[in-house]
Amino acid sequence: MSRLHRDDPASPSPSPSPSPSPSPSPIASELIAVHTTADGIDAPPFVAAGWATFRVSTERPISAVGLARLTHRTTFGDLRDGLTGVIADDPLTVRAGARRLEGIDLLGGLLLGGRRAGTFDQYLKPGWYELFDYADITTSARPSRASFTVVAGPGEGIPDTGPDTGPGAVLVAVADPFPHYVIQGALRAGHPIRLINALRDQPSDAVFFELAPHALPDHVEDWARRFEDDEPPPYPPVDLTAGIGGMPLGSGRSSVVTLPLRPGRHLVASLLNDFADGTRMTAKGQFLIVDVHPGEEAMDA
């Protein structure tokens, strides 16, 4: 069996990580509606501290909603300049962008196609937050964003362990012996997935692409490892415009997401550069072929 295919529910547990493990029972969380359109992002201006579930819907062809917490030393400009730097092809620019992001917590989000919906959760401490769209934050003079303040609330003292995924799967980004994903449990359409970033000093995302029926594991691996080029390699086994998934989480962070996945074989991959040397994380090995089993129907916007 190819190294790529690791979605066996009996797979060994990943190596210890600094990220929290799922709690033994569900935790109530505040539901926050986030809607993106061509005009921007709609979200409430104030949210109570504690666990929050963001229900994201979009009217855009592609929307990549991200969540970040700013400290008193950082601004939206730092977030924008940092993200602009880390997607560059030049390693020096990538490292400079990473430095601009120091002090900013990347807290996940969702990549969705038009008129689809999904959810992600996150523990919110009191402070200043930005919801933004990765699709235009680095290119638009007026990027889509919604600033909000998290104020003290009854959920603030709940331990930062997160809601239980129930029957869902756990997907962990680990570093040894090279960056890759480890999966526990079975992925099912419409069921929650816990994403955990156990990489050091490196954000992690997880974008799912439906694999072409004829795609062979060796072809997929060869294609993914050639992603270090400036342009994607030819003959892709996936439609790169049709990915859905979880947006970047900082080191040690986790989030439970519900995505409109359809049953079948998928490639889950990172679209980020390595903050240390600018190499594509996919080219370093952060990708995996997984099976999504039948479950519940996907949410529509």
Side-chain angles (χ1 to χ4, degrees):
M1 180 176 293
S2 169
R3 177 197 69 78
L4 288 170
H5 209 282
R6 293 183 179 173
D7 64 338
D8 182 356
S11 297
S13 299
S15 57
S17 72
S19 49
S21 59
S23 61
S25 60
I27 296 173
S29 60
E30 182 175 357
L31 182 63
I32 300 170
V34 178
H35 187 63
T36 70
T37 68
D39 297 324
I41 299 177
D42 295 325
F46 296 97
V47 175
W51 277 100
T53 297
F54 295 83
R55 188 185 191 278
V56 181
S57 59
T58 182
E59 296 179 12
R60 292 183 165 195
I62 297 177
S63 183
V65 172
L67 175 66
R69 181 176 184 268
L70 306 181
T71 67
H72 67 280
R73 306 186 312 273
T74 56
T75 66
F76 182 79
D78 293 319
L79 174 64
R80 180 176 182 176
D81 292 346
L83 292 176
T84 300
V86 297
I87 65 172
D89 296 324
D90 173 51
L92 292 178
T93 305
V94 171
R95 288 196 290 269
R99 288 193 294 270
R100 290 296 297 269
L101 293 176
E102 292 177 358
I104 297 176
D105 288 335
L106 297 178
L107 299 174
L110 291 183
L111 170 64
L112 296 170
R115 305 200 66 82
R116 306 308 296 273
T119 66
F120 74 97
D121 75 8
Q122 194 51 254
Y123 183 81
L124 304 179
K125 301 177 182 178
W128 294 270
Y129 290 75
E130 292 280 352
L131 282 163
F132 58 96
D133 200 320
Y134 281 90
D136 66 12
I137 189 173
T138 63
T139 59
S140 174
R142 299 185 64 184
S144 302
R145 59 183 289 204
S147 305
F148 67 93
T149 302
V150 172
V151 297
E156 184 177 352
I158 295 177
D160 187 0
T161 52
D164 187 13
T165 59
V170 179
L171 183 69
V172 189
V174 297
D176 295 326
F178 52 83
H180 65 283
Y181 296 109
V182 174
I183 191 166
Q184 297 174 296
L187 289 166
R188 297 191 180 278
H191 284 221
I193 308 166
R194 176 175 287 279
L195 305 177
I196 299 176
N197 179 13
L199 303 175
R200 289 186 177 275
D201 303 319
Q202 172 68 39
S204 178
D205 55 343
V207 180
F208 292 79
F209 301 92
E210 294 183 6
L211 274 173
H214 62 274
L216 299 175
D218 288 346
H219 172 217
V220 175
E221 179 161 11
D222 179 67
W223 176 83
R225 287 196 175 277
R226 292 172 59 196
F227 229 102
E228 58 187 329
D229 301 330
D230 291 343
E231 297 293 333
Y235 312 113
V238 299
D239 181 354
L240 288 171
T241 67
I244 57 176
M247 299 309 292
L249 286 163
S251 298
R253 292 289 183 180
S254 73
S255 179
V256 175
V257 301
T258 303
L259 301 168
L261 295 172
R262 298 190 296 191
R265 283 198 315 159
H266 289 68
L267 173 69
V268 57
S270 172
L271 302 184
L272 299 176
N273 289 330
D274 188 320
F275 280 18
D277 61 18
T279 304
R280 295 272 188 168
M281 296 299 288
T282 302
K284 290 192 167 189
Q286 196 172 342
F287 58 90
L288 185 68
I289 291 178
V290 296
D291 289 322
V292 176
H293 303 280
E296 301 171 4
E297 294 185 2
M299 291 184 292
D300 292 320

